[in-house]
Amino acid sequence: MSVLVNKDSKIIVQGFTGSEGTFHASQMIEYGTNVVGGVTPGKGGTSHLDRPVFNTVKDAVEQAGADTSIIFVPPAFAADAIMEAADAGIKVIICITEGIPVADMIKAYDYIKAKDCRLVGPNCPGVITPEEAKVGIMPGFVFKKGKVGIVSKSGTLTYEAADQVVRQGFGITTAIGIGGDPIIGTTTKEAVELLMNDPETECIIMIGEIGGQLEADAAKWIKADGNRKPVVGFIAGETAPKGRTMGHAGAIVGGADDTAEAKKRIMRENGIHVVDSPAEIGKKVKEVLG
């Protein structure tokens, strides 16, 4: 059992022949991910990285049976790429692109709501099920198979947490980088819910940051759900100057509950094991799993 992607996922790369798409697709293939082809309009019928190139996502679905897509398309065209994937029947759409205009994402978000698909991102590191499928830009060697799930707004903290968990003798079921933009396809709560319902995941790491309500919503859901599995939480941005916008577009502090201190308090009130430093994540996981 795995969440979102596994060894049977049939993955295509939108923006396959571009520099980013080429680099990360080759890393994914090297990892053993089942990449069945890619999409670059106008280059259909050619081959790239020993995989077929299609003009449209629809062609990739019909001819290669694609069910998962990763998007490396420039910001101006990325929302269209998301909608095209949803239209073609792709079930899991992972968008890496950073800097998509908010107005474009509002349109794409509304459009895909009626479709049978799940969007992860944009502006995210992707999803990895260790030793099965790496659909994103994360360094695969850090991740080992195990029983701890990770949900994170931050790419680098995802890798840091995975490394610590592995050093403590555990491993990862699936790590989901949800992305740091204001409008994203899969929220913290939705990602946590996927891992809660995954029989192989015994503990969940939830990494958030200042700004927005995602972590608070997830914490309240976790408690309402009966705290079925232990959750270790960390919030980045505690030392951010008041009113300062941090790197992620979603990390703008709006109200009193958006601060790191408030989020940590809400998480603790809902039974989450909160750590004050990312350096403590691995130790806390070992503690709660015994």
Side-chain angles (χ1 to χ4, degrees):
M1 183 66 188
S2 62
V3 172
L4 296 175
V5 299
N6 58 34
K7 64 181 184 306
D8 298 321
S9 300
K10 291 182 174 173
I11 296 143
I12 53 162
V13 180
Q14 287 174 262
F16 190 33
T17 59
S19 60
E20 293 285 316
T22 298
F23 175 78
H24 290 294
S26 61
Q27 300 271 311
M28 286 161 52
I29 291 164
E30 199 177 304
Y31 190 77
T33 309
N34 184 25
V35 176
V36 297
V39 176
T40 300
K43 292 194 179 176
T46 64
S47 170
H48 184 60
L49 304 179
D50 292 328
R51 303 292 191 279
V53 182
F54 302 97
N55 282 322
T56 65
V57 179
K58 189 167 183 286
D59 290 347
V61 170
E62 287 172 358
Q63 294 171 44
D67 54 24
T68 303
S69 177
I70 181 165
I71 296 174
F72 291 104
V73 169
F77 312 109
D80 278 345
I82 291 168
M83 292 187 281
E84 183 192 349
D87 248 351
I90 294 283
K91 298 293 180 242
V92 177
I93 304 165
I94 297 169
C95 185
I96 307 299
T97 308
E98 185 174 0
I100 301 176
V102 173
D104 286 7
M105 264 321 292
I106 290 169
K107 194 169 86 175
Y109 183 85
D110 279 345
Y111 184 83
I112 66 171
K113 261 200 294 210
K115 307 281 181 188
D116 177 24
C117 66
R118 175 175 294 281
L119 170 65
V120 178
N123 186 15
C124 78
V127 180
I128 184 168
T129 295
E131 294 159 41
E132 291 196 40
K134 170 174 110 91
V135 192
I137 60 174
M138 61 287 285
F141 69 90
V142 169
F143 296 82
K144 300 283 180 282
K145 206 171 208 34
K147 55 188 180 181
V148 180
I150 301 177
V151 174
S152 177
K153 258 195 199 173
S154 158
T156 45
L157 285 175
T158 309
Y159 324 145
E160 175 65 31
D163 186 52
Q164 288 186 31
V165 167
V166 169
R167 284 170 192 269
Q168 292 291 343
F170 300 100
I172 309 300
T173 46
T174 298
I176 307 168
I178 63 168
D181 277 7
I183 296 168
I184 52 174
T186 299
T187 64
T188 304
K189 177 247 167 194
E190 288 165 343
V192 166
E193 192 173 350
L194 288 171
L195 292 167
M196 278 288 179
N197 295 330
D198 170 39
E200 286 185 8
T201 301
E202 293 178 21
C203 172
I204 298 167
I205 296 170
M206 183 172 112
I207 299 171
E209 59 190 21
I210 56 172
Q213 296 294 312
L214 294 184
E215 298 85 1
D217 292 346
K220 288 166 187 166
W221 179 85
I222 288 162
K223 187 176 184 183
D225 185 55
N227 296 93
R228 280 186 285 148
K229 296 175 183 178
V231 179
V232 172
F234 172 70
I235 299 293
E238 189 160 15
T239 55
K242 282 203 175 1
R244 178 73 55 85
T245 305
M246 301 307 285
H248 277 166
I252 300 165
V253 177
D257 282 353
D258 286 10
T259 63
E261 213 38 72
K263 285 191 180 192
K264 289 192 329 193
R265 175 180 49 74
I266 292 164
M267 284 159 67
R268 286 191 175 106
E269 284 168 0
N270 287 283
I272 292 171
H273 304 272
V274 179
V275 295
D276 292 317
S277 159
E280 297 164 13
I281 293 170
K283 289 189 206 108
K284 184 58 80 174
V285 167
K286 187 171 188 181
E287 194 182 300
V288 300
L289 282 174

